[in-house]
Amino acid sequence: WAIELVDFLLPFVYLDYLGIRPRTLSALFGIAAAPFLHGNFYHLAANTVPFAVLSFIVILTSQHEYVSLFVFSALSAGTGTWLFGERSSVHIGISGVIFGLFGFVLARGFFTRNILYIIVSVAAAIMYGGILFSIFPTRGFISWECHLFGFLGGIAFARISANRIT
């Protein structure tokens, strides 16, 4: 929110350009910066609620893995977008991390076979299952690549962390 406020209050500063610019070596920093940049307050507000809810769910069931999952999701979403995104675009927003959190929550129950995680997975699927439609290229202004690779990163993290438990 602070970064978006700075971007809004200083019209001569265009921070969004620091996002992911696919296959541009000078823009590799965008992989780390993109989750903290948003096009406007509406974009930020639309991402805030699912980010907060899914973060809360993950923290309740897996506090020690939250930061690692956040970083892993951001890196998988950002790297996949950098490799496969439309070259003439700039990808910004925390939605890749949101999809990573969602993928993790859905897959965790499957990989661990823990009844609590399964219940949480089903509840999350009921609450947010509709967002899965945006992992496909449907609208030009939505970074489906970021959504897809964040989601896959969350599933991979669930698998990796389940291997450490079992």
Side-chain angles (χ1 to χ4, degrees), residues 21-78:
R21 289 182 279 133
R23 293 172 303 288
T24 305
L25 287 177
S26 63
L28 278 172
F29 174 76
I31 292 172
F36 304 101
L37 303 170
H38 289 81
N40 52 42
F41 283 107
Y42 176 78
H43 181 208
L44 178 59
N47 280 329
T48 297
V49 172
F51 175 71
V53 170
L54 290 167
S55 291
F56 181 73
I57 290 170
V58 170
I59 289 169
L60 277 179
T61 61
S62 182
Q63 304 88 345
H64 62 285
E65 293 181 318
Y66 178 76
V67 173
S68 298
L69 172 60
F70 183 101
V71 171
F72 193 87
S73 296
L75 290 176
S76 63

Side-chain angles (χ1 to χ4, degrees), residues 101-125:
L101 296 169
F102 187 56
F104 175 80
V105 169
L106 288 182
R108 183 76 185 244
F110 177 79
F111 290 129
T112 63
R113 309 257 192 255
N114 176 301
I115 191 66
L116 173 63
Y117 294 149
I118 292 169
I119 292 168
V120 170
S121 296
V122 170

